[in-house]
Amino acid sequence: LMFGKAKSSNFSPIPERGQPECNVVVLGVMGSGKSALTVKFLTKRFISEYDPHLEDTYSSEEIVDQQPVIVKVMDTADQDGPVNCERYLSWASAYLVVYSIDSRQSFEGCQQYLEAVTAHTRALQTHSPIILLGNKLDMERYRQVSKMDGSALASRFDCLFFEVSACLDFLSIQRVFHEAVRESRRE
Ligand code: GDP
Ligand code: MG
């Protein structure tokens, strides 16, 4: 959040000490809960109304397995699926692909993201981790996507898979982001 300020003054910033970073991009169709999940991770709070067109990158100092890491989270806001996705695909070191368990349409939509990410990592021959996330687990009564469908899709694209809710406990959301860090360290 301090980026860009150095330019407007003559102050040359002291280079940061080499803190390891992990860039997590959050992808999925509009309404799946990307912003709610991002905000929950960063603030421990559920924000129910968030500008659907706002795309931003946030930063948080985390400790994962006793090791410090700066986790940068890009909360994307695509309006027509993964077009112009190169900017975030090449930035990311881990991918969080979100759908909502109460929306079949969001589940179909997230597959385009899995395909775009896979095509990208395959072309670069990298193995950045992908996590498939079924959100809105609190909406169990309105479920349209079974847990089995979610895990089948995850294994088809070789991703980890979790079901969570941005409005329930913080720790299960934190766990997902920390798992992304853990996996990207391993690659
Ligand atoms: P985005 O477009 O993917 O960023 O989605 P938002 O984070 O803006 O969320 C879309 C809508 O779903 C908002 O009305 C949120 O309040 C709601 N929402 C997000 N996550 C959850 C969740 O886990 N459970 C429920 N019940 N609603 C959620
Ligand atoms: Mg959003």
Side-chain angles (χ1 to χ4, degrees), residues 40 54 87 141 144 164 175:
K40 181 77 167 205
L54 190 63
R87 66 199 156 81
R141 275 176 304 164
Q144 293 182 1
V164 293
R175 170 164 167 247

Side-chain angles (χ1 to χ4, degrees), residues 118-183:
T118 307
H120 175 82
T121 57
R122 201 174 283 151
L124 292 179
Q125 300 196 315
T126 56
H127 291 278
S128 306
I130 311 171
I131 297 179
L132 180 64
L133 207 53
N135 186 36
K136 308 198 189 179
L137 192 52
D138 57 292
M139 300 291 274
E140 184 66 64
R141 275 176 304 164
Y142 306 101
R143 186 190 277 274
Q144 293 182 1
V145 184
S146 72
K147 194 168 183 180
M148 253 175 58
D149 285 352
S151 70
L153 183 64
S155 54
R156 186 147 73 81
F157 284 92
D158 199 20
C159 352
L160 293 175
F161 172 61
F162 302 99
E163 286 188 339
V164 293
S165 166
C167 58
L168 298 178
D169 69 304
F170 162 72
L171 286 176
S172 55
I173 305 303
Q174 186 189 49
R175 170 164 167 247
V176 170
F177 283 85
H178 284 194
E179 200 57 36
V181 171
R182 205 168 277 133
E183 287 291 315

Side-chain angles (χ1 to χ4, degrees), residues 7-31:
K7 262 188 193 153
S8 55
S9 71
N10 290 323
F11 177 71
S12 28
I14 300 157
E16 269 183 72
R17 280 207 290 140
Q19 270 262 45
E21 294 183 0
C22 181
N23 293 348
V24 182
V25 66
V26 187
L27 304 169
V29 303
M30 201 167 271

